[in-house]
Amino acid sequence: MTGQAIFKRWRRLALLLPTLLLAACAALEPQQTGASAEAKNEAGVAVANNAVPAATTAPTVSTASGNVTHDKLRAIATMQERLDHVAGPLLLKNAIICKKQARNLLGFTAKNRYSYSEAMADSARDALGLGEPLQVMSVMAGSGAERVGLRKGDNLIAVANKPMPQGRNAEYDAPAVLAPFVVGQNSVKLTVQRDGKNQTLSVPLTPACAFRIELGNTDSVDMYADGRRVLVTRGMMNFVRSDEELAYVIAKGMVHNLLGHPQKMQTVKTTADIINNLMQVQPDAGKVTALKPVPQAMDTLADRLSMVVVARAGLRVDGAPAFWQRLAAQHPASEAPDSFTARHPAMAQRIAAMEKAISQINSVRVSRKLVKKVQAKPAAQSDEQAEEAASDSSDGQATETAAESGAEHAAVVAGVAHGAVAEQATARKGKRAKSSSRKADKKSVKKAAGKKAVSKKSKKVDKGGKPAKKGRKSKK
């Protein structure tokens, strides 16, 4: 396979994988069989004309605990499953915020024995029970896939009666097979194998932020965002004390992507290379690239908006400032020049931005609790007619208050986002005004200097209107 063909193939995958949420959770090293992409596509069409094949039953999971590779793969799969579980509500509940970066997703991830690398195919089979067909590894909470009963361990057999790819390149070829049935559709018909029997499910597509949440196999406490992916390292996952703290990390990466910060900082390629390396089961430890620090304005805006993303997912936001302060204290910038704290140094400003957003969010939650109390409070009058009248009046007031609260909630949540953006716009406008003022000052100084020069020149002109010659006195 030529270098150009490999590049085109990876480019296609980069566009399709986020849309389908059928992404890898660890190293996805390209499997090269020597056949061209065109030949593989033709082979896929030929298979599609045949009957749907039955999936090969996955081998029994080995119970040997002494195999280090097996234990490592199990740990990776467990951590990725936790990442998907925490990321699910963040991606689903914020589709309206993601706008252009939102897609209709299938709502699950799938892998086969070759997903971790061909060298580890046997270990993936023995440790994780993966075979030739793609197997569901995790189902996004709240997704259409979860609602129709798709389960972890289901083998993917076909989509709309078209066979799903199996074998070495299955995970890479799957997006091309799924794409025609996903774009512009509300649901997808999937045939899966469960307990040796095929069954068909109509999976509703779920609007969600189309960011891939990946696991980085390193003990450094870090997180990276390259515009379309968020990578959380093993070290960071071990550092967080709860799923809420993990949500703070994922949300911050999502917002950096949402606001296009990697593009604005021109760090997309460098960060993508770091993510690709850390996703491998055994990353290249010597391949370390330092990224420049995130500008304060970008970082504080990301922190502020990340609180909205977390709140919309139904999680508490009050613990965020303490979490980030603990991270900075235990892993300071002096620890390593490329550490997370070194790249996000404006801690005081970041905490202030978070606290401002949290205050706004909590004010909405308090008002909503008051509305619920009003709705639940029973009437205490003895007269039945008075009780009924009071009840009607109370219900009317409660409904009106609830409507106001809903409007207030929308306004505050939108205000945190749009207000923060507006502040940035005002700051930029102020900078432009200062720049214009400086230009005007320079212009006026230049003009005054010009007038002074003309005045001096006029003094050197004699009474007859002729300029005096250099080195000679003008005649009187």
Side-chain angles (χ1 to χ4, degrees):
M1 184 182 290
T2 65
Q4 187 176 7
I6 293 174
F7 173 78
K8 287 182 178 179
R9 186 172 186 179
W10 275 96
R11 181 176 176 81
R12 182 193 69 181
L13 291 167
L15 295 172
L16 288 174
L17 280 170
T19 304
L20 303 174
L21 196 64
L22 197 64
C25 67
L28 298 184
E29 300 171 7
Q31 309 300 322
Q32 299 181 14
T33 61
S36 67
E38 291 77 14
K40 289 174 184 174
N41 287 339
E42 290 175 4
V45 172
V47 173
N49 293 329
N50 298 329
V52 176
T56 305
T57 304
T60 304
V61 178
S62 172
T63 57
S65 58
N67 193 311
V68 176
T69 304
H70 290 185
D71 293 342
K72 192 169 186 177
L73 286 178
R74 290 190 190 103
I76 288 173
T78 301
M79 283 193 172
Q80 182 66 48
E81 188 173 1
R82 183 189 177 194
L83 263 180
D84 294 337
H85 173 74
V86 175
L90 297 171
L91 297 169
L92 286 173
K93 299 294 185 180
N94 289 284
I96 191 171
I97 292 179
C98 289
K99 294 182 179 179
K100 292 182 179 180
Q101 290 161 302
R103 301 286 185 274
N104 284 332
L105 305 182
L106 287 167
F108 64 89
T109 60
K111 309 181 80 62
N112 71 356
R113 59 181 293 212
Y114 301 102
S115 294
Y116 296 92
S117 78
E118 190 165 1
M120 293 190 176
D122 290 343
S123 295
R125 177 196 62 202
D126 298 337
L128 303 177
L130 297 175
E132 299 295 320
L134 290 168
Q135 185 178 115
V136 175
M137 298 296 289
S138 66
V139 180
M140 183 186 290
S143 67
E146 184 190 53
R147 291 197 300 272
V148 298
L150 190 70
R151 298 179 191 171
K152 177 184 177 181
D154 287 347
N155 289 323
L156 303 183
I157 305 302
V159 52
N161 297 326
K162 183 174 183 178
M164 287 292 292
Q166 298 187 18
R168 284 180 171 78
N169 296 295
E171 193 167 2
Y172 296 95
D173 294 337
V177 176
L178 289 165
F181 305 103
V182 172
V183 179
Q185 303 297 319
N186 295 322
S187 62
V188 173
K189 187 173 76 170
L190 281 181
T191 302
V192 300
Q193 186 187 65
R194 183 183 300 166
D195 298 328
K197 297 180 180 178
N198 287 1
Q199 57 180 283
T200 301
L201 301 172
S202 180
V203 180
L205 298 179
T206 309
C209 299
F211 300 127
R212 290 164 52 191
I213 314 300
E214 308 286 8
L215 173 67
N217 296 303
T218 175
D219 289 323
S220 62
V221 182
D222 219 326
M223 179 273 292
Y224 296 93
D226 68 356
R228 61 186 181 86
R229 296 176 294 181
V230 175
L231 180 136
V232 181
T233 65
R234 179 177 64 234
M236 179 67 83
M237 293 195 67
N238 290 330
F239 177 79
V240 299
R241 296 173 178 172
S242 65
D243 285 353
E244 280 186 348
E245 290 188 348
L246 181 55
Y248 301 151
V249 177
I250 297 172
K252 183 169 174 63
M254 285 175 58
V255 173
H256 276 306
N257 286 343
L258 178 63
L259 297 176
H261 289 168
Q263 290 84 350
K264 292 175 183 176
M265 292 179 63
Q266 298 181 342
T267 58
V268 173
K269 185 181 183 305
T270 305
T271 309
D273 289 343
I274 292 173
I275 291 177
N276 291 338
N277 177 45
L278 295 181
M279 282 174 59
Q280 298 182 57
V281 176
Q282 297 175 335
D284 182 357
K287 191 177 180 182
V288 179
T289 306
L291 294 170
K292 54 188 176 182
V294 180
Q296 179 182 314
M298 286 186 181
D299 219 13
T300 53
L301 179 58
D303 282 308
R304 193 171 174 181
L305 295 184
S306 70
M307 296 297 94
V308 176
V309 170
V310 173
R312 287 181 62 86
L315 300 172
R316 292 188 320 108
V317 293
D318 303 75
F323 164 73
W324 291 114
Q325 286 173 325
R326 190 177 87 245
L327 175 62
Q330 295 186 21
H331 298 278
S334 58
E335 185 176 79
D338 60 336
S339 67
F340 182 89
T341 307
R343 297 197 312 276
H344 303 267
M347 183 53 62
Q349 293 80 359
R350 289 182 57 206
I351 296 301
M354 284 182 242
E355 289 176 343
K356 185 174 182 180
I358 291 169
S359 176
Q360 291 175 298
I361 291 167
N362 285 340
S363 67
V364 171
R365 286 179 170 172
V366 168
S367 65
R368 295 175 82 182
K369 286 181 180 178
L370 290 174
V371 170
K372 289 181 179 179
K373 285 183 179 180
V374 171
Q375 290 175 324
K377 186 176 180 180
Q381 296 185 21
S382 58
D383 185 77
E384 292 183 0
Q385 292 181 348
E387 183 178 10
E388 185 178 354
S391 177
D392 291 341
S393 174
S394 176
D395 288 343
Q397 290 176 358
T399 303
E400 185 176 340
T401 309
E404 291 174 358
S405 176
E408 182 187 2
H409 177 262
V412 171
V413 171
V416 174
H418 297 296
V421 174
E423 286 178 9
Q424 299 299 317
T426 302
R428 288 194 297 270
K429 189 175 180 181
K431 288 181 181 178
R432 286 196 295 268
K434 287 181 181 179
S435 178
S436 300
S437 178
R438 283 196 296 269
K439 287 181 181 178
D441 290 342
K442 287 181 181 178
K443 204 170 184 180
S444 62
V445 170
K446 190 175 181 181
K447 190 174 181 181
K451 286 182 179 180
K452 192 174 182 181
V454 171
S455 177
K456 285 182 179 179
K457 189 175 181 182
S458 64
K459 288 181 181 179
K460 294 181 181 180
V461 179
D462 62 11
K463 290 182 179 180
K466 295 180 180 180
K469 291 183 180 180
K470 189 176 181 181
R472 292 184 182 181
K473 293 183 179 178
S474 59
K475 295 180 180 180
K476 292 184 180 178

